[in-house]
Amino acid sequence: MLRVWRLAVGIYLLTGCSGYAQQDSSIVCNGDKIEFLTEEKTVIGEGNVVITYNDIKLTCDKAVVRLDAKQGFLEGNVTLYQDGNTFRAERINYDFETKKGKLINGRGEFKPWYGRGEEIDKVGDKEFLITNGYISTCELDPPHYRVQSKKIKIFLGDKVVAYNVVIYIDKYPVFYIPFYTHSLKDERPKVTITPGREKDWGIFALGQYRYWLNENAQGYIHADWRELRGWAGGIDHDYRSRNFGEGHLKTYYADDLDQQLIESLREREQRYRAQYRHRWQIDNNTLFQAEYHKLSDGTIVKDFFEGEYEEESEPESFISFTRSRPDYIINLTATGRVNDFFTQVERLPEVSLDVPGLRIGNTRFYYQTETSASNLYNRRAGLSDYEAIRFDSFNKFFHTSKLFGWLYFTPYAGARETWYSEDVNGSILNRAIFYSGLDLSTSFWRVFDLESDFLNMGINGLRHLVEPGISYNYRYREPGLKQDKILVFDSIDGITDYNAVTLSLENKLQTKRKFDDEIKKVDLVNLFTAIDYFPETNKISGLEVDLELRPYNWLTCQFDTDYNITSKAMETCNVDLIANGGDKWSFGVGNRYLRHMDNELTVQASYKLNSKWRVWAYQRWGYQADNFMSANFNEQEYRIQRDLHCWTGELAWNRKDADTIWLVLRLKAFPQIEIKGRTTYNEPRIGERGSGY
């Protein structure tokens, strides 16, 4: 211990440091045996040697440190630690002043990567160069796969760069890349190949290479082959700028030969898509957005990107400026039809002003307006177009108060004025609609001092909350105006008369439970009911019922229905039961019912058999409303996954209109893999009532 103290003092003096203020820049050496050679200004350490200097820590069996040159020569189980990264070698020659060194037969761990080389040179503070080596996310030696190169650069906390790369699986070379770079901040893989078989494509292989230019520019290069359609590919590019926002460019081209057609009808068709999106938050209150979608035909997205097609079958191109303030929102939009095989309303341009609720003085009266001016063109595919200039203004005054200290009272009155430059006969048209109504609501509750673990439900106090409400809404158009005279562009033009009283009642049973060391409120039961009464016809609507049960943190049941009181039958009924056993298992079942319509029952389950195997099953049946025995499969999907140490392999089979089989290999280090296939996974959207699976 005495020798170590003397060594530290000697090092402080020889490195020009005085006092404790400079202690962080001093070389400190500890070990089982320390020898300090004063004349040579050298320290020799043996046995469990630990050397620290700034953010660098070195351990070894034997070390020689020259204090005047600030150089160290270490051997035997040598390990270098820096910023959570680890490098091991047989020998290290290290310069503490330049922060450079040479690691002989070295191995590095810079998560999620591991690397090995004949030599690893530390060429800068946080820069390493591996010569004649490899990197891999597999920690085994040798790894199951590796990215091998004669020259690999590692920038700690930033990226990995390699040149003339050969990718090996086991001992077999499978792929060559002239240049490879991967951000250490990114959990997505560089190369993904998804093989499979599908009715419309035949056998296919979808390949994508993810490039990374810098933190502000990256994307994918796609190269896809389909047995029945041929080759296709494109580029997806994401970018960010400091001053002008961020955007996304997506392109795809296919020299398509549809071999499903009879041979006499086959001919190659040049098909393409170009999609551009940009978003720029100019300041805290001003937003610019733009989208452009150009397609060669109306089915290219459906044929090659069915998941995107289900989300948006006819994308619109537009430019939009939005200015948002607490008391108003101004929007300027220009929307044009780019693809003439779609029907679309063009707005060239449209400007709108929305005031959500402007308080008038110090009163409890508020003013709301939605005003727009639009130059509209309804471009109809295969039909004649029509156009009109429209000025529309909806103005509403409302008052809020609390009567008797417990009843919330909100009456309102308003009007909508709409002017059209043309009606169906080419004449100017004015339309006026009057609005009025009121809302009454209150809430009251009672707290029960109840502690119970009945059926392991974990009830810690119980609160019953009741929220009744009644509202009256009246809408009346000027007499004599026929709806069929109005040119219809959107929902504004289709507004009709309305006169109804709505009664609603919400009941909640609440308790408190512990989630991750935090106590949170939980709705054990949430029951909402509502019904409409129409005075003019003396009729009532169906009874709307929404029920959500959460007896356990892992179990949720949701039910909603529209019950026709007159016919005493359910018009709609949706039921979802969702159970989640964490990483071990999950289960979901849902039913979608529409009276006199085809209905669906969906079941999905997953189970982890052991540490290596997991299975999934998905079933969707269709059946007639009054005959469950008529059920038949609409879709089936089964998946089995195997843990392959650094990979996970997944084999999936899907039957919808036809059979589809695909095999996916995922690197566990990059879980955010994106599967770009024709089929999509239809898993339950837990917690979203009535949405289906």
Side-chain angles (χ1 to χ4, degrees):
M1 187 67 182
L2 179 60
R3 283 180 293 182
V4 174
W5 180 82
R6 288 177 178 172
L7 173 61
V9 173
I11 292 174
Y12 293 154
L13 294 174
L14 290 168
T15 55
C17 304
S18 61
Y20 294 97
Q22 300 295 328
Q23 187 171 345
D24 288 344
S25 61
S26 303
I27 303 173
V28 179
C29 181
N30 290 285
D32 295 340
K33 181 181 178 181
I34 299 293
E35 184 179 358
F36 180 31
L37 306 179
T38 306
E39 293 183 1
E40 290 84 354
K41 299 180 180 179
T42 300
V43 177
I44 300 175
E46 294 185 11
N48 298 313
V49 178
V50 180
I51 302 173
T52 58
Y53 181 77
N54 291 340
D55 63 338
I56 298 294
K57 176 183 175 181
L58 293 157
T59 64
C60 63
D61 295 334
K62 184 177 180 179
V64 177
V65 180
R66 295 180 56 190
L67 301 176
D68 54 346
K70 289 190 177 181
Q71 293 181 342
F73 305 90
L74 297 80
E75 61 182 16
N77 298 314
V78 183
T79 306
L80 183 152
Y81 302 91
Q82 184 178 10
D83 294 345
N85 304 284
T86 304
F87 291 85
R88 308 178 192 277
E90 295 177 359
R91 301 192 308 276
I92 292 181
N93 301 332
Y94 191 74
D95 189 312
F96 291 94
E97 188 163 15
T98 63
K99 300 181 180 180
K100 297 180 179 180
K102 184 179 291 293
L103 291 74
I104 307 302
N105 194 16
R107 175 177 170 83
E109 300 175 13
F110 36 99
K111 296 295 181 65
W113 292 97
Y114 300 86
R116 178 180 282 282
E118 294 178 2
E119 290 185 356
I120 299 180
D121 292 298
K122 191 173 187 296
V123 296
D125 181 17
K126 296 185 179 182
E127 183 179 349
F128 291 78
L129 174 64
I130 298 178
T131 303
N132 294 327
Y134 66 79
I135 56 174
S136 175
T137 59
C138 178
E139 78 277 14
L140 298 182
D141 190 12
H144 290 134
Y145 86 99
R146 63 189 186 275
V147 178
Q148 187 161 311
S149 172
K150 292 184 178 180
K151 185 179 179 182
I152 303 172
K153 291 183 179 179
I154 303 159
F155 302 87
L156 297 184
D158 186 12
K159 61 184 176 181
V160 173
V161 179
Y163 304 88
N164 295 317
V165 170
V166 178
I167 298 177
Y168 282 80
I169 295 180
D170 196 14
K171 58 183 178 180
Y172 303 104
V174 296
F175 204 72
Y176 169 80
I177 305 174
F179 176 77
Y180 179 90
T181 179
H182 197 112
S183 171
L184 294 176
K185 305 170 185 177
D186 195 353
E187 292 189 348
R188 285 172 286 181
K190 276 291 184 179
V191 179
T192 304
I193 299 176
T194 306
R197 183 183 180 279
E198 205 269 354
K199 175 189 174 184
D200 295 338
W201 294 352
I203 297 172
F204 64 83
L206 310 179
Q208 63 180 22
Y209 170 74
R210 188 173 189 277
Y211 63 88
W212 189 90
L213 303 178
N214 53 54
E215 292 184 354
N216 298 318
Q218 56 228 241
Y220 291 97
I221 299 174
H222 296 275
D224 302 335
W225 176 80
R226 301 170 178 87
E227 178 188 14
L228 301 179
R229 313 304 286 263
W231 286 93
I235 296 176
D236 299 350
H237 182 73
D238 296 315
Y239 65 89
R240 288 180 294 274
S241 64
R242 178 177 299 178
N243 299 318
F244 300 103
E246 59 188 12
H248 174 78
L249 173 66
K250 177 179 289 188
T251 64
Y252 200 76
Y253 175 83
D255 190 16
D256 190 11
L257 178 62
D258 191 346
Q259 297 189 34
Q260 296 179 101
L261 300 175
I262 61 176
E263 189 170 354
S264 60
L265 296 177
R266 293 178 195 167
E267 62 179 46
R268 291 198 175 274
E269 181 181 1
Q270 295 182 348
R271 308 179 71 189
Y272 61 86
R273 70 176 297 189
Q275 180 187 83
Y276 175 70
R277 288 188 169 103
H278 185 81
R279 187 179 190 277
W280 177 21
Q281 191 72 49
I282 300 174
D283 56 39
N284 292 336
N285 304 307
T286 309
L287 174 65
F288 169 79
Q289 295 182 93
E291 290 192 18
Y292 176 81
H293 304 268
K294 179 62 178 176
L295 307 175
S296 60
D297 55 84
T299 62
I300 180 172
V301 178
K302 182 179 181 180
D303 289 347
F304 296 112
F305 306 94
E306 187 175 13
E308 292 185 38
Y309 180 81
E310 291 176 353
E311 292 181 4
E312 189 176 22
S313 60
E314 298 183 7
E316 293 188 350
S317 301
F318 67 89
I319 297 175
S320 172
F321 281 94
T322 304
R323 177 74 173 172
S324 301
R325 299 288 292 173
D327 49 357
Y328 68 85
I329 300 173
I330 295 178
N331 179 260
L332 174 63
T333 300
T335 303
R337 185 176 69 166
V338 175
N339 305 295
D340 56 11
F341 38 79
F342 291 149
T343 295
Q344 183 179 335
V345 174
E346 295 184 334
R347 305 171 189 274
L348 298 172
E350 179 178 83
V351 60
S352 65
L353 168 66
D354 292 346
V355 177
L358 182 64
R359 188 171 183 177
I360 302 174
N362 294 323
T363 70
R364 288 185 172 271
F365 286 93
Y366 295 82
Y367 170 69
Q368 175 184 344
T369 185
E370 299 172 5
T371 300
S372 64
S374 312
N375 185 25
L376 302 170
Y377 300 84
N378 194 345
R379 305 299 190 192
R380 301 189 295 175
L383 299 172
S384 58
D385 303 337
Y386 56 83
E387 62 186 82
I389 297 174
R390 184 184 71 192
F391 293 97
D392 178 76
S393 182
F394 171 68
N395 297 276
K396 173 181 173 181
F397 292 90
F398 61 95
H399 173 76
T400 63
S401 61
K402 192 174 184 181
L403 304 179
F404 316 114
W406 56 270
L407 181 63
Y408 293 93
F409 176 63
T410 307
Y412 72 88
R416 180 182 293 274
E417 293 282 346
T418 310
W419 178 87
Y420 298 87
S421 63
E422 294 185 28
D423 62 8
V424 294
N425 299 317
S427 303
I428 294 176
L429 183 144
N430 289 283
R431 183 191 65 176
I433 302 176
F434 173 72
Y435 294 77
S436 68
L438 60 85
D439 293 317
L440 292 170
S441 65
T442 188
S443 63
F444 49 92
W445 62 89
R446 182 177 178 182
V447 177
F448 299 90
D449 187 12
L450 176 64
E451 302 288 334
S452 174
D453 199 28
F454 178 69
L455 297 178
N456 296 318
M457 292 177 62
I459 298 175
N460 302 296
L462 195 63
R463 181 176 185 245
H464 183 202
L465 176 66
V466 181
E467 297 180 326
I470 181 171
S471 64
Y472 173 67
N473 295 283
Y474 177 77
R475 188 171 63 223
Y476 178 68
R477 294 185 305 167
E478 62 181 283
L481 177 62
K482 294 183 179 180
Q483 181 66 29
D484 58 8
K485 292 185 62 177
I486 301 174
L487 294 174
V488 177
F489 298 94
D490 53 36
S491 60
I492 290 177
D493 309 310
I495 297 174
T496 58
D497 295 345
Y498 184 79
N499 186 10
V501 177
T502 301
L503 303 173
S504 64
L505 178 65
E506 186 167 15
N507 278 271
K508 294 182 180 180
L509 284 178
Q510 301 173 325
T511 189
K512 293 182 178 179
R513 287 178 180 162
K514 191 174 184 179
F515 294 86
D516 300 327
D517 298 325
E518 184 179 352
I519 302 298
K520 295 182 179 179
K521 180 179 65 178
V522 177
D523 291 341
L524 294 173
V525 180
N526 187 350
L527 174 62
F528 175 82
T529 57
I531 191 169
D532 294 329
Y533 168 69
F534 303 99
E536 291 183 354
T537 59
N538 196 29
K539 293 182 178 180
I540 58 175
S541 70
L543 176 65
E544 177 187 352
V545 179
D546 289 348
L547 174 64
E548 182 171 334
L549 305 175
R550 193 173 186 183
Y552 305 100
N553 294 340
W554 54 268
L555 179 64
T556 301
C557 181
Q558 298 170 341
F559 168 86
D560 66 83
T561 184
D562 186 0
Y563 182 78
N564 190 318
I565 297 175
T566 303
S567 61
K568 298 181 180 180
M570 287 188 298
E571 298 293 339
T572 67
C573 181
N574 299 308
V575 182
D576 293 280
L577 179 68
I578 308 296
N580 193 330
D583 184 56
K584 183 67 176 176
W585 60 272
S586 68
F587 176 79
V589 58
N591 184 75
R592 305 290 170 260
Y593 173 87
L594 291 171
R595 191 182 181 194
H596 306 309
M597 299 285 289
D598 291 338
N599 299 274
E600 285 191 341
L601 175 67
T602 305
V603 177
Q604 177 180 285
S606 71
Y607 187 75
K608 187 175 183 180
L609 300 173
N610 51 46
S611 60
K612 297 293 185 181
W613 293 93
R614 179 185 290 272
V615 293
W616 286 265
Y618 171 86
Q619 302 271 1
R620 182 163 56 90
W621 292 270
Y623 64 93
Q624 296 175 4
D626 301 323
N627 184 10
F628 181 77
M629 299 306 296
S630 66
N632 55 71
F633 283 115
N634 283 349
E635 184 175 9
Q636 305 174 65
E637 183 170 294
Y638 302 96
R639 290 184 282 156
I640 184 168
Q641 186 184 86
R642 175 68 158 86
D643 189 318
L644 302 172
H645 185 68
C646 51
W647 300 75
T648 58
E650 183 175 300
L651 180 65
W653 172 75
N654 178 281
R655 168 171 286 181
K656 195 174 181 181
D657 299 324
D659 291 341
T660 300
I661 300 174
W662 66 89
L663 173 67
V664 178
L665 292 175
R666 289 184 178 89
L667 277 172
K668 291 165 69 175
F670 306 120
Q672 298 181 15
I673 185 172
E674 297 181 22
I675 301 174
K676 303 284 188 180
R678 188 184 191 284
T679 57
T680 57
Y681 295 123
N682 296 295
E683 300 180 355
R685 293 191 282 269
I686 295 174
E688 188 173 338
R689 181 189 312 151
S691 61
Y693 293 95

